[in-house]
Amino acid sequence: MKQILSLIFLLLPGLAAGQQAAPDSVRHRADSATIHQLDNFFSQQDSLDIFELIDSLIRTQDIKDESRMAIRLGYNSNIIADNRTFNINQFGLASGMSYYHKSGLYADATQYWSQEYKPNFYLTTASGGYMKNINKWYTLLAEYSHYFYHQPSDSTVSVPYTNNVGMSNYFEVGKFVFRLDYYFYFGDKQAHRIMPSAGMNFIKRKWAGFDRISFYPNATVLFGSEQTTSYALYPNPILRLIYNRNHTPKLPLYYPVNKTEFGVMNYSFSIPITMSRKDWTFLLNYTYSIPKSLPGEDLSLQSSGYLSFSITRYIGF
């Protein structure tokens, strides 16, 4: 969910004739870009869906001392791989179940299906955490998630992050809503994600047959760190040739240079509308995403928008 390639690899077939073959990360540049975009998508949306869900349990459903289960089904227009807006022919589905205990503890499991990936059920996430309403304007959430990626046995795609742990801070002052999230991703690699967000929450009660309608336009910036890899020629090609005549294994034409970069990874703008009636909640959302490459990255990223819709059924205990 992130390697980079330097310009030298565009010339590699001619320069490296008779030399060691290029590493797998070079041959799968497109896969790296797709994983990068998928990571941005979950950082913006899916990795924080639990916060939105649990927040709705408290604020939308007027829960006091009650535990609840939520069952949901969601749709998105699936622009992650092809960068098209409102691509109805290519879509993704997400189904999940959450349990919120009145103590503040919660657990969630979600499965993702898409026409764009093989296998279609490409990801399952399991999350657990704790949410605390500190006061009427500040809510704190801490969460751990594990990502189960389903890949064919012959897949060459490397998924560097399979876990995250983090904290969300939610501030609501009048109609203004501010969020500051931090998540630490780990697995084969490690990365940090910081996501500030600001928006306004407009609420209309008892209108058009719904108990509550909320319109929440917001803007988000995603900051993050990433381990990047570039490649450079060995500084003295003559000594390298002399060395390779009498030694095995031979020195390659190039060597990797690894760096950790930090910066803006994505800008996003969302306009969700939430409609609640009794134990049902309907969410319609449009997000426009502007991904950014970190310094040293060489990924084909394009701005794009997607439409999402979800239905959630709450069951009280």
Side-chain angles (χ1 to χ4, degrees):
M1 293 142 227
K2 300 179 181 127
Q3 288 75 5
I4 65 127
L5 307 174
S6 61
L7 182 61
I8 188 173
F9 283 104
L10 298 176
L11 307 175
L12 193 58
L15 292 174
Q19 301 295 331
Q20 176 177 317
D24 289 342
S25 61
V26 177
R27 295 196 296 268
H28 304 297
R29 174 181 174 183
D31 289 337
S32 297
T34 300
I35 292 295
H36 182 100
Q37 290 172 294
L38 194 61
D39 172 61
N40 282 345
F41 176 77
F42 285 119
S43 295
Q44 301 163 56
Q45 297 296 127
D46 296 304
S47 65
L48 299 175
D49 277 349
I50 304 305
F51 182 86
E52 300 293 349
L53 177 63
I54 302 303
D55 178 67
S56 69
L57 289 174
I58 296 295
R59 297 172 60 253
T60 304
Q61 303 299 325
D62 297 323
I63 294 178
K64 295 181 180 179
D65 295 315
E66 186 179 47
S67 300
R68 283 210 167 189
M69 179 177 290
I71 303 171
R72 66 188 180 277
L73 177 65
Y75 159 92
N76 71 73
S77 56
N78 212 53
I79 50 75
I80 300 304
D82 60 344
N83 296 296
R84 299 175 189 168
T85 302
F86 295 121
N87 182 18
I88 303 301
N89 291 327
Q90 296 288 329
F91 61 90
L93 298 175
S95 59
M97 179 179 296
S98 302
Y99 176 74
Y100 171 79
H101 190 267
K102 60 186 179 181
S103 65
L105 295 171
Y106 68 88
D108 175 87
T110 304
Q111 188 168 48
Y112 298 89
W113 181 96
S114 174
Q115 292 178 315
E116 199 67 31
Y117 303 104
K118 298 297 182 182
N120 296 134
F121 284 102
Y122 65 95
L123 173 65
T124 301
T125 64
S127 304
Y130 176 77
M131 189 190 75
K132 176 67 173 179
N133 289 318
I134 306 300
N135 51 45
K136 65 179 182 180
W137 55 269
Y138 175 46
T139 301
L140 175 67
L141 177 146
E143 179 184 279
Y144 166 77
S145 297
H146 183 78
Y147 300 87
F148 300 90
Y149 286 92
H150 312 303
Q151 299 190 68
S153 57
D154 60 347
S155 174
T156 58
V157 177
S158 174
V159 180
Y161 310 120
T162 53
N163 306 271
N164 75 33
V165 60
M167 181 178 296
S168 294
N169 300 272
Y170 185 102
F171 305 88
E172 185 169 6
V173 182
K175 294 185 180 299
F176 294 94
V177 178
F178 304 96
R179 285 180 59 182
L180 179 61
D181 304 337
Y182 167 77
Y183 279 83
F184 173 65
Y185 285 76
F186 58 100
D188 293 338
K189 298 167 61 177
Q190 298 179 354
H192 303 272
R193 299 289 185 266
I194 300 173
M195 191 160 63
S197 174
M200 296 187 71
N201 194 16
F202 301 95
I203 298 174
K204 181 73 172 179
R205 298 183 184 275
K206 303 298 182 181
W207 187 75
F210 291 97
D211 298 327
R212 183 179 187 271
I213 296 177
S214 174
F215 176 57
Y216 173 47
N218 64 90
T220 300
V221 182
L222 174 64
F223 297 90
S225 65
E226 194 57 60
Q227 298 176 23
T228 63
T229 302
S230 59
Y231 293 84
L233 288 170
Y234 274 95
N236 195 322
I238 296 177
L239 290 179
R240 174 184 161 277
L241 288 174
I242 294 174
Y243 178 90
N244 284 348
R245 287 180 177 273
N246 302 307
H247 294 83
T248 301
K250 301 183 184 303
L251 292 176
L253 181 64
Y254 48 85
Y255 66 95
V257 178
N258 298 316
K259 293 182 179 180
T260 299
E261 301 286 355
F262 180 87
V264 175
M265 301 183 72
N266 199 89
Y267 298 98
S268 64
F269 305 90
S270 300
I271 46 172
I273 300 176
T274 302
M275 299 163 286
S276 301
R277 179 179 172 84
K278 296 183 179 180
D279 292 326
W280 293 86
T281 295
F282 306 87
L283 171 66
L284 179 65
N285 178 51
Y286 175 76
T287 296
Y288 189 75
S289 176
I290 307 173
K292 298 292 182 180
S293 296
L294 293 175
E297 285 188 312
D298 183 20
L299 301 175
S300 299
L301 304 175
Q302 299 180 26
S303 300
S304 53
Y306 63 92
L307 180 71
S308 57
F309 176 76
S310 67
I311 301 174
T312 304
R313 171 72 160 90
Y314 298 95
I315 303 171
F317 295 94

